[in-house]
Amino acid sequence: MKLDIQMFAEPFRKVSKTRKRLRRSHNAMEIPGMTKCPNCGEMIKPHRVCPKCGSYKGKVEVVKKEAE
């Protein structure tokens, strides 16, 4: 079977470093949004139970055990 070279997608020129980096500029990682817990002031992700005090929306959802 003879392959025709024109059926493959081949670039005509090398993509420069600047063009490649401009295209990928929006792929940078972002810092997740953080909020303060209204109960204890710990920085937490929004819409989650606080791992320090166990409260969510002003109510205690998880009772933390004291270390003995």
Side-chain angles (χ1 to χ4, degrees):
M1 181 174 150
K2 188 175 180 183
L3 294 177
D4 188 14
I5 299 297
Q6 296 197 6
M7 47 187 252
F8 298 111
E10 289 291 324
F12 287 109
R13 299 178 193 278
K14 176 183 174 182
V15 177
S16 69
K17 293 176 187 175
T18 305
R19 274 193 178 265
K20 177 174 62 175
R21 290 172 184 163
L22 283 172
R23 186 176 64 240
R24 295 178 182 173
S25 65
H26 66 280
N27 291 346
M29 295 181 70
E30 296 176 2
I31 299 171
M34 303 292 275
T35 59
K36 274 191 175 179
C37 173
N39 194 28
C40 66
E42 182 78 12
M43 294 300 287
I44 58 170
K45 290 184 180 179
H47 309 290
R48 285 170 177 76
V49 175
C50 178
K52 189 173 180 183
C53 66
S55 66
Y56 179 70
K57 288 190 176 179
K59 301 177 198 168
V60 177
E61 298 291 333
V62 180
V63 179
K64 302 289 279 186
K65 292 183 179 179
E66 294 292 326
E68 295 179 14

